[in-house]
Amino acid sequence: MHVSFHIGAHCTDHDQLIKSLLKNKGVMANHGVIVPGPSRYRGLLAQVINKLNGAPASADTQDMLLESMMDEDSAERLVLSHDNFLGAPKRALEGGQLYPLAERNSQRLRNLFPDNPVEFFLSLRNPASFVPAIRRLQPDISHDAFLTGLDPRALYWSDMVHAIREANPDCPITVWCNEDTPMIWPEVLHELSGLEPHIRLKGGLDIMAQITAKEGMKRLRSYFTTHPPQSEIQRRRVLAAFLDKYALDDEIEEELDLPGWTPELIDELTASYDDDMLEIARIPGVTLLTA
């Protein structure tokens, strides 16, 4: 049985990935894919990880975990998701790094199921908007305290991905940019569940619906009904056209309200982020989904 761990990052899908997958619980179960509700495993996994303290889980512990998370006797794939898997929000930028606990925590996740193939899935976000978003998750910390020791120009997601790969050389990693999710959401759902692209899943427009006016979504669904896209490229072109016309400004415009977050710095961080994605795409064992 394969285990898919969706490990973040914070301030990307806000649990929408699990919500979309759960819309297809029956279809997935028919193909041997189990997506348990988060309440069945998030607290439990944290307890077991702390108890094991990095050691591989025994066969009995693995059986206990599976029995707690699954009603079925067997499955082809188990999908688990939590944006705290790599650390709580307050540790996302600890020591001026992106998720400095990623190496340790990913290895502990892998060791929960040492007898099974494990894959990691990770959504990334432009540091220019990620840092302010993480700041908003910590309202009790002052701006000065939050920014102490933090150089946004030194934040590279590739450092974190390299660390995860080195700690778990047998675990493939699939990565995508949060900014691309409206276009590639169906592909993300299929990759995480391991299902073939021809298997139709509900929820493929869930991200579009969050950033598009209701009238636009109504017209988009009607258009897809009468003009089914003949290819993935055509589907994405239609989505881009509807976004261009019906996107909600309040949903697509980022609030970048940190001291020193000048337009020049934002441009610099964005260019660095683009280069960083090229670096990630070159890491062996890593697949980068793009729009």
Side-chain angles (χ1 to χ4, degrees):
M1 180 185 71
H2 282 73
V3 181
S4 295
F5 280 112
H6 173 227
I7 56 177
H10 291 103
C11 309
T12 54
D13 81 302
H14 305 286
D15 268 349
Q16 185 58 58
L17 188 50
I18 280 296
K19 293 175 184 176
S20 296
L21 289 174
L22 286 173
K23 291 181 178 180
N24 301 278
K25 196 169 184 178
V27 173
M28 292 194 173
N30 290 337
H31 289 85
V33 182
I34 306 302
V35 187
S39 63
R40 295 191 65 170
Y41 61 85
R42 287 183 176 174
L44 174 64
L45 293 188
Q47 293 174 14
V48 174
I49 286 172
N50 288 335
K51 184 176 181 180
L52 291 173
N53 196 29
S58 65
D60 287 344
T61 298
Q62 293 177 69
D63 289 342
M64 179 276 293
L65 287 173
L66 294 176
E67 289 175 5
S68 299
M69 293 185 289
M70 296 168 44
D71 297 322
E72 297 78 7
D73 294 331
S74 63
E76 295 294 324
R77 183 178 294 265
L78 177 66
V79 180
L80 306 171
S81 173
H82 195 7
D83 56 9
N84 279 353
F85 274 148
L86 297 184
K90 66 181 181 180
R91 311 203 73 173
L93 295 167
E94 194 172 47
Q97 301 178 32
L98 287 163
Y99 294 97
L101 297 179
E103 179 178 354
R104 186 199 75 176
N105 287 6
S106 63
Q107 193 168 46
R108 290 184 173 187
L109 288 172
R110 201 272 168 271
N111 281 343
L112 288 173
F113 302 99
D115 299 332
N116 299 90
V118 167
E119 299 178 44
F120 294 116
F121 295 80
L122 181 63
S123 176
L124 306 179
R125 181 171 174 173
N126 186 347
S129 66
F130 178 75
V131 174
I134 286 291
R135 168 71 183 93
R136 289 192 289 274
L137 294 181
Q138 304 174 68
D140 297 333
I141 301 177
S142 68
H143 279 316
D144 288 343
F146 178 78
L147 293 171
T148 298
L150 178 64
D151 178 5
R153 296 177 179 86
L155 298 176
Y156 295 100
W157 289 110
S158 56
D159 291 343
M160 187 191 79
V161 177
H162 272 297
I164 295 173
R165 276 294 296 162
E166 290 171 7
N168 309 276
D170 64 329
C171 299
I173 305 174
T174 299
V175 177
W176 63 95
C177 296
N178 183 59
E179 296 81 7
D180 289 340
T181 51
M183 300 294 178
I184 66 173
W185 195 238
E187 185 178 0
V188 170
L189 298 180
H190 280 88
E191 289 291 332
L192 195 70
S193 62
L195 296 180
E196 295 296 328
H198 69 270
I199 299 174
R200 297 197 59 173
L201 298 176
K202 299 176 183 177
L205 294 176
D206 284 348
I207 300 297
M208 278 288 293
Q210 296 174 7
I211 60 175
T212 306
K214 290 184 179 180
E215 175 64 21
M217 285 305 300
K218 181 179 179 181
R219 292 180 177 232
L220 175 60
R221 295 182 192 280
S222 176
Y223 184 87
F224 275 156
T225 298
T226 57
H227 302 79
Q230 301 302 306
S231 67
E232 181 62 20
I233 292 176
Q234 186 182 65
R235 187 189 70 84
R236 294 181 184 182
R237 286 175 177 168
V238 172
L239 293 180
F242 273 81
L243 268 181
D244 186 56
K245 186 173 183 179
Y246 293 106
L248 296 170
D249 291 341
D250 291 344
E251 296 297 332
I252 62 174
E253 292 180 357
E254 302 283 358
E255 184 180 354
L256 310 179
D257 54 356
L258 282 178
W261 240 242
T262 63
E264 292 76 18
L265 176 61
I266 292 170
D267 289 343
E268 182 180 349
L269 294 178
T270 300
S272 178
Y273 175 57
D274 291 341
D275 291 340
D276 202 24
M277 292 305 104
L278 296 177
E279 169 62 23
I280 287 175
R282 289 192 286 264
I283 300 175
V286 175
T287 299
L288 177 66
L289 307 180
T290 68

